Amino acid sequence: MSKSYRVAILGATGAVGTELLALLRERNFPLSELTLLASEYSAGKEIQFGTDRLTVKTVQADSFDGIDLVLASAGGSVSKQWAPIAAKAGAVTIDNSSAFRMNPDVPLVVPEVNPEAVTQHQGIIANPNCTTILMSVAVFPLHQVQPIKRIVAATYQSASGAGARAMEEVKHQAQAILNQEPAKAEILPYPLAFNLFLHNSALNAQGYCEEEMKMVNETRKIFSAPELRITATCVRVPVLRAHSEAINLEFDEPFSPEAARQILAKAPGIKLVEDFGKNYFPMPIDASGKDEVLVGRIRQDISHPAGLDLWLCGDQIRKGAALNAVQIAELLIAKNLL
Amino acid sequence: MSKSYRVAILGATGAVGTELLALLRERNFPLSELTLLASEYSAGKEIQFGTDRLTVKTVQADSFDGIDLVLASAGGSVSKQWAPIAAKAGAVTIDNSSAFRMNPDVPLVVPEVNPEAVTQHQGIIANPNCTTILMSVAVFPLHQVQPIKRIVAATYQSASGAGARAMEEVKHQAQAILNQEPAKAEILPYPLAFNLFLHNSALNAQGYCEEEMKMVNETRKIFSAPELRITATCVRVPVLRAHSEAINLEFDEPFSPEAARQILAKAPGIKLVEDFGKNYFPMPIDASGKDEVLVGRIRQDISHPAGLDLWLCGDQIRKGAALNAVQIAELLIAKNLL
C-alpha cells in the first residue's frame, strides 16, 4: 500500500481553502488525517469533507506536531507567523500567500514550469500569484523553445480574486444597479458591477501596483530568467470567476503562430481554445472550474517581426491557487520528499 | 447674426443618433432646420428635440436637397448608399460608419489631432472608430513631442459599443444570472454579463479582428504616420458604457512620465485622473457622459528604456462617436467650410 499523509489546511474557510478541500477529494490525495486550522475568529466552524464533518481548530504552537504537509491560504501575516513553526515541527508548508515568494531560500513553483525547484525546499514552498501562474503555464513552453525577451501583459481579473466576499458584493452591486439603486462598495474600493478599475494593490514609486510587480518578479524567479523584461497592467473586471490576460511576447527571432500552436497544444496544463471560423476563443465562463489554462487567438504580432500575441483565461482559484498547491504536494510525494 | 445650418441626421434612433441630438442642443449648434432621416423601418417614429416633436422621415433621393450637413450614424451600407447622393446634392456628410474611413479621398478626423484634414474633404468626412478616437486623443500629444514607434494596446470595451440593444441584453443577462437562470445571448454572440470575450468582429488571415485593424490603420491615417507600428487585443467587457484601454507606448528615446503628464494635462480633450495616494484612476463609470478622455497611471515602462504605460477611459458613444462628429461640424463652421 502506498504511503498516506497527515495534512493540515491553514485557512480552510476562504475561497482557496474551499477549493483545496474539493481538490483533495477529487484527486484522491493520499490522506491519513486532515486537520483544519484557522485563527480564533473562524475556529469552531464545521466543514463537510466527504462523509466527515470536520471542526476548524484554532492554530497554536503544537498544531503542527505530527503533521506532514500544511496547505496555507490564510494570508501573508498568518503564514509568516506559522509556516516557520510548522517547518520546525517537521512539516512542509505550501504557502499561498506572498509572504515567502521572493525569499531566495523558498522555492516558488509552478509544477508545469519548474518542478525541480521543489527539491530545494527548507520546509516552505511558495505558491505563486494567481495571475502569474496562469501566464507562466501559457508562455513557458514557448520560452523553452526560444527565450522570451519581453512581455507586455494586460489582465482582466475576476472579482473572486479579491475573495469570496468581493464576489458576493459584485452580485449585490449588480442587483442594485438593475433596480436603479446606488451600488455600495464595502469590500472593493469602488463599485465593480458594470464597471472596472485598475487593480487596487499598493503602488510603488514607479506607479506599478503590487499585483503587477508580482507578475514581473515572480515570473522571473519561476523561469530562472532574471533578465526577462515584463510590464503589466492589472485590471479588476466584473467577472465572477476566472482571470483573462492579453499577452504580447517578444523574442529575438520570429516565432510562428503555427509553431507556437503546436507546442502549446502538447504542453501540460494548457487547453487550446481557438475556433477562428466561429470567432470562439477562451472566455472566463468556460475556464471556471477547469484545471487547464485556456489559450487562444495566437497571432503573429504585426507591430514586431519577432512578436506574438496570445489570449488566455484560467480559473485563478483553481489553477491560480488551490490546484497548483495540490500539484506541488503531489510532486513532493512523487519525488519522495514528503 | 452668425450663420445657421440645415442639418439632417441619418439614423437618429440609434445610440449614437440619440447622443447626436443631445449634443446639438447642449452645444447650441447653429441649426436653422433639423431633419431626421432613417430607413423605412424607423420612419414615422417621433423624437423629442427640445420643445419640438420631430417625425423621422424615410431617406430618399431628394432628402438632401437644401441640406448643408448630414450626420450619418445608420451603419456602413446606409452611408455607402446615401453619402455620395448627399454630396451630389451639395451637403457635407460626417459619417460615423467605417464605409469611407480608409478611402484616400475622405479625411478621417479627430479634431484634437488632425483638424486641418477637414479642408481636404470632397463632400464626405469620416468619423473614426470609437476605440481609435479615444486612443488618438490620449497619445497624439506625446507623438507630437516625440514620434511613437510602437503601440501595444489592450481594450476593455463596453456593451453599448455593440449598440443600445446589446446594453439592454447585458442587463437582462445579469438579472437572469442573479436569479440563477440561464443567460440568453441574442444580440451578442455569447453571454457578456459576468463574462467577457474577444471582440467578435470579423477576423483577417493573420487572426486580427476588424476592430483591432481599425485601431492599426485608422490611427496611422489620422496621425499621418503610415510607419507607426500597432498591435491591439480588443475585448468586450460587461460594462454598460465607456471603453477603457491599457496602452503601452515605445519611443526611440526615453519619455519621462512627468513630462508626459505635463503635456497631457494641457492637451485638448483630455482630463488627467491620477491620484496615486488614493489609488484612484480612470474608471468607465466616471467617463460615462463626459466629453474628455480620462487618462491616468502614466508610468515609465520598466521593461523598455523608452517605454511608457498609460491607462484611459472614454465615453465611446460621446467622444468616441457623436461628440467627435459634432466637433468636426463645428470645425467646418469655424473654417467657413460649411
Side-chain angles (χ1 to χ4, degrees):
Chain A
M1 202 186 129
S2 58
K3 211 181 151 186
S4 62
Y5 303 88
R6 287 156 300 181
V7 176
I9 296 186
L10 181 55
T13 57
V16 175
T18 304
E19 197 72 21
L20 280 170
L21 288 166
L23 283 162
L24 290 177
R25 274 175 52 78
E26 194 181 314
R27 296 172 76 90
N28 284 317
F29 193 88
L31 288 171
S32 59
E33 195 186 304
L34 180 62
T35 307
L36 305 186
L37 300 171
S39 63
E40 274 180 23
Y41 175 80
S42 292
K45 281 190 185 167
E46 295 203 330
I47 290 181
Q48 196 71 26
F49 183 73
T51 54
D52 298 333
R53 195 144 186 91
L54 303 174
T55 303
V56 179
K57 296 178 194 165
T58 305
V59 59
Q60 51 192 41
D62 62 358
S63 293
F64 306 99
D65 296 348
I67 296 289
D68 300 307
L69 174 72
V70 180
L71 297 169
S73 62
S77 58
V78 174
S79 290
K80 246 180 200 155
Q81 184 180 357
W82 296 106
I85 292 169
K88 267 193 195 142
V92 179
T93 297
I94 300 172
D95 181 31
N96 265 295
S97 84
S98 61
F100 300 99
R101 286 182 192 149
M102 296 311 295
N103 183 327
D105 296 330
V106 174
L108 183 67
V109 179
V110 177
E112 291 85 349
V113 177
N114 60 340
E116 72 295 341
V118 295
T119 59
Q120 306 299 317
H121 86 79
Q122 297 172 31
I124 303 172
I125 298 172
N127 209 34
N129 163 268
C130 53
T131 315
T132 306
I133 292 176
L134 302 177
M135 181 170 78
S136 295
V137 169
V139 309
F140 185 72
L142 306 178
H143 180 74
Q144 275 184 298
V145 174
Q146 200 195 141
I148 297 167
K149 294 297 166 186
R150 180 172 176 240
I151 302 176
V152 180
T155 73
Y156 301 69
Q157 302 186 218
S158 66
S160 52
R165 289 164 70 210
M167 190 166 85
E168 288 310 308
E169 183 166 280
V170 171
K171 291 187 199 167
H172 290 138
Q173 290 172 350
Q175 191 59 68
I177 290 166
L178 293 171
N179 295 346
Q180 305 198 305
E181 292 161 8
K184 279 184 222 160
E186 286 164 356
I187 311 292
L188 295 160
Y190 305 105
L192 181 57
F194 304 116
N195 189 35
L196 52 82
F197 46 81
L198 286 165
H199 197 282
N200 62 304
S201 48
L203 296 163
N204 70 11
Q206 291 163 303
Y208 279 71
C209 72
E210 265 181 10
E211 184 81 359
E212 291 158 356
M213 292 312 299
K214 288 174 184 174
M215 291 183 78
V216 174
N217 295 320
E218 295 183 19
T219 305
R220 287 174 172 170
K221 179 169 174 176
I222 297 162
F223 285 19
S224 298
E227 74 300 333
L228 175 53
R229 292 179 289 125
I230 305 175
T231 186
T233 302
C234 288
V235 182
R236 185 75 71 196
V237 295
V239 165
L240 297 179
R241 186 161 168 163
H243 289 357
S244 307
E245 305 180 25
I247 308 280
N248 180 269
L249 301 172
E250 291 174 34
F251 302 89
D252 271 342
E253 299 290 331
F255 204 130
S256 87
E258 199 37 60
R261 197 166 280 129
Q262 283 179 22
I263 291 161
L264 295 180
K266 292 181 296 189
I270 292 175
K271 187 179 174 195
L272 267 191
V273 175
E274 287 197 307
D275 187 332
F276 284 85
K278 289 187 178 160
N279 217 326
Y280 174 67
F281 302 105
M283 296 194 288
I285 52 171
D286 290 340
S288 297
K290 297 270 170 42
D291 286 353
E292 296 85 7
V293 178
L294 311 186
V295 179
R297 203 127 89 84
I298 302 163
R299 290 174 283 160
Q300 162 69 45
D301 172 358
I302 56 172
S303 78
H304 192 292
L308 208 59
D309 279 302
L310 60 82
W311 170 253
L312 68 85
C313 296
D315 187 323
Q316 89 287 353
I317 299 177
R318 206 170 172 91
K319 179 56 190 170
L323 174 61
N324 198 71
V326 173
Q327 285 176 310
I328 292 171
E330 290 168 347
L331 198 55
L332 289 172
I333 294 171
K335 290 185 187 283
N336 271 318
L337 290 167
L338 202 62
Chain B
M1 203 183 130
S2 58
K3 210 182 153 188
S4 60
Y5 303 87
R6 288 156 298 180
V7 176
I9 297 186
L10 181 55
T13 57
V16 175
T18 304
E19 197 71 20
L20 279 170
L21 287 166
L23 283 162
L24 290 177
R25 273 176 51 79
E26 194 181 314
R27 296 172 76 90
N28 283 318
F29 193 88
L31 289 169
S32 59
E33 195 185 306
L34 179 62
T35 307
L36 306 186
L37 301 171
S39 62
E40 273 181 21
Y41 175 80
S42 293
K45 281 190 186 166
E46 294 204 331
I47 289 181
Q48 197 72 27
F49 184 72
T51 54
D52 298 335
R53 195 145 186 91
L54 303 175
T55 304
V56 178
K57 296 178 196 165
T58 305
V59 58
Q60 52 193 40
D62 62 357
S63 294
F64 305 99
D65 295 349
I67 296 288
D68 300 305
L69 174 72
V70 181
L71 297 168
S73 62
S77 58
V78 175
S79 289
K80 245 179 202 156
Q81 184 181 357
W82 295 106
I85 292 169
K88 266 193 197 145
V92 179
T93 296
I94 300 172
D95 181 31
N96 264 296
S97 83
S98 61
F100 300 99
R101 287 183 192 149
M102 296 311 296
N103 184 328
D105 296 330
V106 174
L108 183 66
V109 179
V110 177
E112 291 85 349
V113 177
N114 60 339
E116 72 293 342
V118 295
T119 58
Q120 306 299 316
H121 85 79
Q122 297 173 30
I124 303 172
I125 298 172
N127 209 34
N129 163 267
C130 53
T131 315
T132 306
I133 291 176
L134 303 178
M135 180 170 80
S136 295
V137 169
V139 309
F140 185 72
L142 307 177
H143 181 75
Q144 275 184 299
V145 173
Q146 199 193 141
I148 297 167
K149 294 297 166 185
R150 180 174 177 239
I151 301 177
V152 180
T155 73
Y156 303 69
Q157 301 185 220
S158 66
S160 52
R165 288 165 70 209
M167 189 167 85
E168 289 310 308
E169 183 166 278
V170 172
K171 290 187 200 168
H172 289 137
Q173 290 173 347
Q175 190 60 67
I177 290 166
L178 293 171
N179 295 347
Q180 307 198 303
E181 292 161 9
K184 281 183 220 159
E186 287 165 353
I187 311 294
L188 295 159
Y190 305 106
L192 181 57
F194 304 117
N195 190 35
L196 52 83
F197 46 81
L198 287 165
H199 197 282
N200 62 304
S201 49
L203 296 162
N204 69 12
Q206 292 163 302
Y208 280 70
C209 72
E210 265 181 11
E211 184 81 357
E212 291 159 355
M213 292 313 297
K214 287 173 183 173
M215 291 183 79
V216 174
N217 294 322
E218 294 183 19
T219 305
R220 287 174 172 170
K221 179 168 175 177
I222 298 162
F223 285 19
S224 299
E227 74 299 332
L228 176 53
R229 293 179 288 126
I230 305 175
T231 185
T233 302
C234 289
V235 182
R236 185 76 72 196
V237 295
V239 164
L240 297 179
R241 185 160 170 165
H243 288 357
S244 307
E245 305 180 25
I247 308 278
N248 180 269
L249 301 172
E250 290 173 36
F251 301 90
D252 271 341
E253 299 292 331
F255 204 129
S256 88
E258 198 38 58
R261 197 166 281 129
Q262 283 179 20
I263 291 160
L264 295 179
K266 292 180 295 190
I270 293 175
K271 187 180 173 192
L272 267 191
V273 175
E274 287 198 307
D275 187 333
F276 284 85
K278 289 186 178 159
N279 217 327
Y280 174 68
F281 301 105
M283 297 195 288
I285 51 171
D286 291 340
S288 297
K290 297 271 171 40
D291 286 353
E292 296 85 8
V293 178
L294 311 186
V295 179
R297 204 128 89 82
I298 302 163
R299 291 173 284 160
Q300 160 70 45
D301 172 358
I302 55 172
S303 79
H304 193 293
L308 208 59
D309 279 302
L310 61 82
W311 171 252
L312 69 85
C313 295
D315 188 323
Q316 90 287 353
I317 299 176
R318 205 169 173 92
K319 179 56 190 169
L323 174 61
N324 198 74
V326 174
Q327 285 176 311
I328 293 171
E330 291 168 346
L331 196 56
L332 289 171
I333 294 171
K335 290 185 186 283
N336 270 318
L337 291 166
L338 203 62

